[in-house]
Each structure stands twice: as C-alpha cells, then as structure tokens.
Amino acid sequence: MPLPESTRAEVVNYALADLPGDLAWHVSYFDFIGDADLRGRIGQEFYAARCLYKLWEGLRIDEQWARQAQVQLQVQQYASIYEASVHHLLFVEAANEPIVQRLNEYRTLVERPLPGHIMDRIRRLDAGDANDIVGAVMATRRAQESKIRFDSKVAAAVELGMLDEALGEEVKGFYTARNYIHIHAEIRQTDFDWQVSFARDAYRRLEPFKSQVSSWLAMRA
C-alpha cells in the first residue's frame, strides 16, 4: 500500500531539494560522452544515485544492515558510471591508439600438428598421457571487449594520460568494491569495511574524473 500522496510528495521534494539540477542537468554533466544514448543512460544513473542517496539520508536508519545496503547500492551505481565512461573513452575516442588495440589481444597456446615421425616418438614414451600430447605454438588472439578486465582498461587510460595515476587507483577501487557486493564474495572478503564515506568518495571523484577526461579530449581536438 503506497504512502499518502501528501507524504510521497514531501519525500520526493526532500530528495530533489538540494540537487544541482533536474534529469537533463545530470545528463548534460557527461558532455564528454559523445554517444547521446549512452550519455543519457549514464546521466539517468547519476540522477538516480543522487536521489536515492538523499532518500537514505532522510531515513537515517542507524543500523549496520542499512548502512551497508546504502553503500552497496551507491557503489554499484557509481562503478557502473565509471565503467561505461572509461569503456567509451577508450574504445571510441581512443580506439586507434596502440595501447587500446593491445587490450583486445592476448597470448595463448594454439594446437599445431607435429611431423608424423616426431609424434611416433612421443607415442612411444613411457608415460601414461603420451597419447594426449599434442603440438602447440604461442599465438596472438583477440578478445571480446566485454571480456577485458576493468583494471586493464583503467591502466590504459592512465597510460594515455586520460586519468592521473591516483584517480585511476581510486576508480579501480570502486569497481573492485562492486564485485564484493555478491554475498559469497562479501563473506570471503572479511576485511572490507562498508563505510558511507566510501560511497561519498565515489560521488566526489566524479568531478576530477570529468575534469581530467575533458582536458584530455580537449588536447586531442
């Protein structure tokens, strides 16, 4: 059963009262994202994160489960914002950079048949797995963009001068924290402290993130 209309209006007004602008403002904040659809989605996530933070702040439930839920939700939202932004900047704005192209590459063993006389000698080896031995060479293969680790993407962004090293480390930390949101991972990672300040940092680092990537784009123009 929903709250009375007057109560809902009061809650919504509270959540929106101190925001710097409406949804359109939060979308335009990401003017460094050239893809309009992606910019709109990232801006929407930013707007939602700010509104939900205010709702949690208004509730002021001073219990561990509530604080943890608040931080986890915020970290998940901001990590997604950073991830989508870095991915776009690398694979759209810097797609032709050798550093970025190497992100798609990995070295792996690829089976290559050996000459028959060599295989005959291998089969005669006094080993239980002799019949399973095959020839192989190291080869370069290309990975799907979705399979590239986020820390590798951030490292490339730092190497390109898109982000400074300190901010890059923080951004990687937000993404790592997102991976701990899964209950089993969280239980194993007993030394991780879910502090409200961590979620605030994820929000506050957006401004230097925007400043640094915008400067990088301006230098390339």
Side-chain angles (χ1 to χ4, degrees):
M1 179 177 179
L3 295 169
E5 174 61 31
S6 59
T7 304
R8 282 186 284 146
E10 184 177 358
V11 170
V12 171
N13 288 336
Y14 172 83
L16 301 180
D18 297 326
L19 298 186
D22 58 9
L23 175 58
W25 184 94
H26 286 76
V27 170
S28 66
Y29 184 87
F30 295 90
D31 55 3
F32 55 88
I33 300 294
D35 184 313
D37 290 338
L38 179 61
R39 182 169 63 250
R41 182 63 189 88
I42 294 174
Q44 177 184 318
E45 193 71 11
F46 185 31
Y47 189 59
R50 295 304 296 149
C51 290
L52 291 172
Y53 174 81
K54 286 294 299 296
L55 289 175
W56 277 105
E57 182 184 55
L59 289 171
R60 292 290 174 91
I61 304 175
D62 191 20
E63 296 186 34
Q64 176 60 28
W65 66 265
R67 288 192 298 272
Q68 183 165 330
Q70 177 185 355
V71 176
Q72 287 179 332
L73 177 58
Q74 292 278 286
V75 165
Q76 185 170 12
Q77 290 178 300
Y78 284 109
S80 296
I81 289 170
Y82 286 117
E83 179 188 25
S85 299
V86 169
H87 186 94
H88 171 81
L89 291 165
L90 286 175
F91 294 103
V92 175
E93 302 295 344
N96 295 325
E97 294 286 348
I99 296 170
V100 177
Q101 293 177 351
R102 286 197 297 270
L103 287 173
N104 290 311
E105 299 175 350
Y106 66 97
R107 298 282 287 170
T108 187
L109 283 171
V110 176
E111 184 174 348
R112 176 174 292 180
L114 294 172
H117 68 281
I118 295 178
M119 292 303 300
D120 289 341
R121 293 179 61 183
I122 292 173
R123 298 291 180 257
R124 290 195 295 270
L125 291 174
D126 185 18
D129 59 354
N131 289 328
D132 296 323
I133 297 174
V134 297
V137 295
M138 291 297 298
T140 299
R141 291 290 184 264
R142 295 187 65 80
Q144 297 177 2
E145 289 179 4
S146 60
K147 302 295 185 182
I148 301 170
R149 290 171 55 95
F150 184 66
D151 55 355
S152 298
K153 295 178 186 178
V154 173
V158 171
E159 190 173 351
L160 285 167
M162 192 182 296
L163 302 174
D164 66 36
E165 189 170 356
L167 182 57
E169 287 300 314
E170 287 194 276
V171 170
K172 283 194 291 185
F174 301 142
Y175 192 82
T176 299
R178 188 184 80 165
N179 293 337
Y180 293 156
I181 290 175
H182 303 292
I183 291 177
H184 282 97
E186 175 194 321
I187 291 172
R188 291 193 299 269
Q189 193 68 23
T190 56
D191 62 339
F192 194 85
D193 191 10
W194 291 101
Q195 296 290 337
V196 174
S197 60
F198 194 81
R200 292 198 192 105
D201 287 344
Y203 159 64
R204 289 170 178 167
R205 295 304 179 269
L206 267 182
E207 186 59 36
F209 179 87
K210 172 183 167 73
S211 175
Q212 290 184 24
V213 299
S214 296
S215 296
W216 177 79
L217 286 168
M219 287 189 296
R220 292 169 59 86

